[in-house]
Short mmCIF file of all heavy atoms in Angstrom, two decimals:
data_model
loop_
_atom_site.label_atom_id
_atom_site.label_comp_id
_atom_site.label_asym_id
_atom_site.label_seq_id
_atom_site.Cartn_x
_atom_site.Cartn_y
_atom_site.Cartn_z
N ASN A 290 -135.63 -131.80 -237.70
CA ASN A 290 -135.23 -131.60 -239.10
C ASN A 290 -135.57 -132.79 -239.99
O ASN A 290 -135.81 -132.63 -241.19
CB ASN A 290 -133.73 -131.29 -239.19
CG ASN A 290 -133.41 -129.87 -238.77
OD1 ASN A 290 -134.28 -128.99 -238.83
ND2 ASN A 290 -132.19 -129.62 -238.34
N ASP A 291 -135.59 -134.00 -239.41
CA ASP A 291 -135.97 -135.18 -240.19
C ASP A 291 -137.41 -135.05 -240.69
O ASP A 291 -137.72 -135.44 -241.81
CB ASP A 291 -135.85 -136.45 -239.33
CG ASP A 291 -134.40 -136.79 -239.00
OD1 ASP A 291 -133.49 -136.10 -239.52
OD2 ASP A 291 -134.19 -137.73 -238.23
N TYR A 292 -138.27 -134.48 -239.87
CA TYR A 292 -139.68 -134.32 -240.26
C TYR A 292 -139.84 -133.19 -241.27
O TYR A 292 -140.66 -133.29 -242.19
CB TYR A 292 -140.54 -134.07 -239.02
CG TYR A 292 -140.64 -135.29 -238.13
CD1 TYR A 292 -139.76 -135.48 -237.07
CD2 TYR A 292 -141.59 -136.27 -238.38
CE1 TYR A 292 -139.83 -136.62 -236.28
CE2 TYR A 292 -141.66 -137.41 -237.59
CZ TYR A 292 -140.78 -137.58 -236.55
OH TYR A 292 -140.85 -138.71 -235.77
N ILE A 293 -139.06 -132.14 -241.09
CA ILE A 293 -139.13 -131.02 -242.05
C ILE A 293 -138.69 -131.49 -243.44
O ILE A 293 -139.35 -131.21 -244.44
CB ILE A 293 -138.23 -129.85 -241.57
CG1 ILE A 293 -138.78 -129.27 -240.25
CG2 ILE A 293 -138.14 -128.76 -242.64
CD1 ILE A 293 -137.87 -128.25 -239.59
N THR A 294 -137.59 -132.26 -243.49
CA THR A 294 -137.11 -132.80 -244.77
C THR A 294 -138.13 -133.75 -245.39
O THR A 294 -138.44 -133.66 -246.58
CB THR A 294 -135.77 -133.53 -244.56
OG1 THR A 294 -134.80 -132.62 -244.05
CG2 THR A 294 -135.27 -134.13 -245.88
N ALA A 295 -138.65 -134.65 -244.58
CA ALA A 295 -139.60 -135.64 -245.08
C ALA A 295 -140.88 -134.99 -245.58
O ALA A 295 -141.49 -135.46 -246.56
CB ALA A 295 -139.92 -136.66 -243.99
N ALA A 296 -141.29 -133.90 -244.93
CA ALA A 296 -142.53 -133.23 -245.34
C ALA A 296 -142.42 -132.67 -246.75
O ALA A 296 -143.41 -132.61 -247.50
CB ALA A 296 -142.87 -132.11 -244.35
N HIS A 297 -141.19 -132.26 -247.15
CA HIS A 297 -140.98 -131.77 -248.51
C HIS A 297 -141.07 -132.91 -249.53
O HIS A 297 -141.47 -132.71 -250.68
CB HIS A 297 -139.61 -131.09 -248.62
CG HIS A 297 -139.54 -129.78 -247.91
ND1 HIS A 297 -140.35 -128.70 -248.19
CD2 HIS A 297 -138.72 -129.36 -246.89
CE1 HIS A 297 -140.06 -127.69 -247.40
NE2 HIS A 297 -139.07 -128.07 -246.60
N ASN A 298 -140.68 -134.10 -249.10
CA ASN A 298 -140.65 -135.25 -250.02
C ASN A 298 -141.95 -136.04 -250.08
O ASN A 298 -142.19 -136.77 -251.04
CB ASN A 298 -139.51 -136.19 -249.61
CG ASN A 298 -138.14 -135.59 -249.86
OD1 ASN A 298 -137.93 -134.88 -250.84
ND2 ASN A 298 -137.20 -135.86 -248.96
N TYR A 299 -142.77 -135.90 -249.02
CA TYR A 299 -144.00 -136.68 -248.95
C TYR A 299 -145.18 -135.77 -248.61
O TYR A 299 -145.33 -135.39 -247.44
CB TYR A 299 -143.88 -137.79 -247.89
CG TYR A 299 -142.74 -138.75 -248.12
CD1 TYR A 299 -141.51 -138.57 -247.49
CD2 TYR A 299 -142.89 -139.86 -248.96
CE1 TYR A 299 -140.46 -139.45 -247.69
CE2 TYR A 299 -141.86 -140.75 -249.16
CZ TYR A 299 -140.64 -140.54 -248.53
OH TYR A 299 -139.60 -141.42 -248.73
N PRO A 300 -146.00 -135.41 -249.58
CA PRO A 300 -147.18 -134.60 -249.28
C PRO A 300 -148.18 -135.38 -248.43
O PRO A 300 -148.09 -136.61 -248.30
CB PRO A 300 -147.76 -134.28 -250.66
CG PRO A 300 -147.21 -135.34 -251.56
CD PRO A 300 -145.87 -135.71 -251.01
N MET A 301 -149.12 -134.67 -247.84
CA MET A 301 -150.04 -135.28 -246.88
C MET A 301 -150.79 -136.48 -247.46
O MET A 301 -150.94 -137.51 -246.80
CB MET A 301 -151.05 -134.24 -246.37
CG MET A 301 -152.01 -134.81 -245.31
SD MET A 301 -153.16 -133.59 -244.66
CE MET A 301 -152.10 -132.69 -243.54
N LYS A 302 -151.26 -136.36 -248.71
CA LYS A 302 -152.02 -137.45 -249.32
C LYS A 302 -151.15 -138.71 -249.43
O LYS A 302 -151.62 -139.83 -249.16
CB LYS A 302 -152.51 -137.03 -250.70
CG LYS A 302 -153.44 -138.04 -251.35
CD LYS A 302 -153.98 -137.50 -252.67
CE LYS A 302 -154.92 -138.52 -253.32
NZ LYS A 302 -155.46 -138.01 -254.61
N LYS A 303 -149.91 -138.54 -249.81
CA LYS A 303 -148.99 -139.67 -249.92
C LYS A 303 -148.72 -140.28 -248.55
O LYS A 303 -148.67 -141.51 -248.39
CB LYS A 303 -147.68 -139.22 -250.57
CG LYS A 303 -146.59 -140.31 -250.64
CD LYS A 303 -146.99 -141.50 -251.49
CE LYS A 303 -145.87 -142.50 -251.62
NZ LYS A 303 -146.27 -143.73 -252.32
N VAL A 304 -148.55 -139.44 -247.54
CA VAL A 304 -148.29 -139.93 -246.18
C VAL A 304 -149.47 -140.77 -245.69
O VAL A 304 -149.28 -141.83 -245.08
CB VAL A 304 -148.02 -138.76 -245.21
CG1 VAL A 304 -147.90 -139.27 -243.77
CG2 VAL A 304 -146.75 -138.02 -245.61
N SER A 305 -150.68 -140.33 -245.97
CA SER A 305 -151.87 -141.09 -245.56
C SER A 305 -151.87 -142.48 -246.19
O SER A 305 -152.17 -143.48 -245.52
CB SER A 305 -153.14 -140.34 -245.97
OG SER A 305 -153.24 -139.11 -245.30
N ALA A 306 -151.50 -142.54 -247.47
CA ALA A 306 -151.45 -143.83 -248.16
C ALA A 306 -150.36 -144.73 -247.56
O ALA A 306 -150.55 -145.94 -247.40
CB ALA A 306 -151.20 -143.60 -249.65
N ILE A 307 -149.22 -144.13 -247.22
CA ILE A 307 -148.11 -144.90 -246.64
C ILE A 307 -148.52 -145.47 -245.28
O ILE A 307 -148.24 -146.65 -244.98
CB ILE A 307 -146.86 -144.01 -246.50
CG1 ILE A 307 -146.28 -143.69 -247.88
CG2 ILE A 307 -145.80 -144.70 -245.63
CD1 ILE A 307 -145.17 -142.65 -247.85
N VAL A 308 -149.18 -144.67 -244.47
CA VAL A 308 -149.62 -145.14 -243.15
C VAL A 308 -150.54 -146.35 -243.30
O VAL A 308 -150.41 -147.35 -242.57
CB VAL A 308 -150.34 -144.01 -242.37
CG1 VAL A 308 -151.06 -144.57 -241.14
CG2 VAL A 308 -149.34 -142.94 -241.94
N GLY A 309 -151.44 -146.30 -244.28
CA GLY A 309 -152.32 -147.43 -244.53
C GLY A 309 -151.56 -148.67 -244.95
O GLY A 309 -151.85 -149.79 -244.50
N LYS A 310 -150.55 -148.48 -245.81
CA LYS A 310 -149.75 -149.62 -246.28
C LYS A 310 -148.93 -150.21 -245.15
O LYS A 310 -148.77 -151.44 -245.06
CB LYS A 310 -148.83 -149.17 -247.43
CG LYS A 310 -148.05 -150.32 -248.05
CD LYS A 310 -148.97 -151.37 -248.64
CE LYS A 310 -148.20 -152.56 -249.19
NZ LYS A 310 -149.09 -153.61 -249.71
N LEU A 311 -148.41 -149.37 -244.28
CA LEU A 311 -147.62 -149.86 -243.15
C LEU A 311 -148.48 -150.69 -242.19
O LEU A 311 -147.98 -151.61 -241.55
CB LEU A 311 -146.96 -148.69 -242.41
CG LEU A 311 -145.84 -147.98 -243.19
CD1 LEU A 311 -145.39 -146.73 -242.45
CD2 LEU A 311 -144.65 -148.91 -243.41
N ARG A 312 -149.75 -150.36 -242.11
CA ARG A 312 -150.66 -151.20 -241.30
C ARG A 312 -150.74 -152.59 -241.90
O ARG A 312 -150.74 -153.60 -241.18
CB ARG A 312 -152.05 -150.57 -241.25
CG ARG A 312 -152.15 -149.28 -240.45
CD ARG A 312 -153.60 -148.81 -240.37
NE ARG A 312 -153.71 -147.45 -239.91
CZ ARG A 312 -153.70 -147.08 -238.64
NH1 ARG A 312 -153.58 -148.00 -237.69
NH2 ARG A 312 -153.82 -145.81 -238.30
N ASP A 313 -150.80 -152.66 -243.24
CA ASP A 313 -150.85 -153.96 -243.92
C ASP A 313 -149.57 -154.76 -243.66
O ASP A 313 -149.62 -155.97 -243.41
CB ASP A 313 -151.03 -153.77 -245.43
CG ASP A 313 -152.39 -153.18 -245.78
OD1 ASP A 313 -153.31 -153.29 -244.95
OD2 ASP A 313 -152.52 -152.62 -246.89
N VAL A 314 -148.44 -154.08 -243.75
CA VAL A 314 -147.16 -154.76 -243.51
C VAL A 314 -147.10 -155.27 -242.06
O VAL A 314 -146.60 -156.38 -241.81
CB VAL A 314 -145.98 -153.80 -243.78
CG1 VAL A 314 -144.66 -154.45 -243.36
CG2 VAL A 314 -145.93 -153.43 -245.27
N ASP A 315 -147.62 -154.49 -241.12
CA ASP A 315 -147.62 -154.91 -239.73
C ASP A 315 -148.41 -156.21 -239.55
O ASP A 315 -147.97 -157.13 -238.86
CB ASP A 315 -148.23 -153.81 -238.85
CG ASP A 315 -148.27 -154.20 -237.37
OD1 ASP A 315 -147.20 -154.47 -236.81
OD2 ASP A 315 -149.38 -154.25 -236.81
N VAL A 316 -149.58 -156.27 -240.19
CA VAL A 316 -150.41 -157.48 -240.10
C VAL A 316 -149.66 -158.67 -240.70
O VAL A 316 -149.62 -159.76 -240.12
CB VAL A 316 -151.75 -157.25 -240.83
CG1 VAL A 316 -152.53 -158.57 -240.95
CG2 VAL A 316 -152.60 -156.22 -240.09
N LYS A 317 -149.05 -158.46 -241.87
CA LYS A 317 -148.32 -159.55 -242.52
C LYS A 317 -147.10 -159.98 -241.70
O LYS A 317 -146.76 -161.16 -241.66
CB LYS A 317 -147.87 -159.11 -243.92
CG LYS A 317 -149.02 -158.95 -244.91
CD LYS A 317 -148.52 -158.49 -246.27
CE LYS A 317 -149.65 -158.35 -247.27
NZ LYS A 317 -149.17 -157.89 -248.60
#
Side-chain angles (χ1 to χ4, degrees):
N290 284 336
D291 291 355
Y292 291 94
I293 295 172
T294 299
H297 289 301
N298 291 323
Y299 301 95
M301 182 178 283
K302 186 175 180 180
K303 175 63 176 174
V304 174
S305 297
I307 290 171
V308 168
K310 185 60 183 177
L311 291 172
R312 291 185 194 277
D313 293 339
V314 173
D315 179 60
V316 170
K317 291 179 180 180

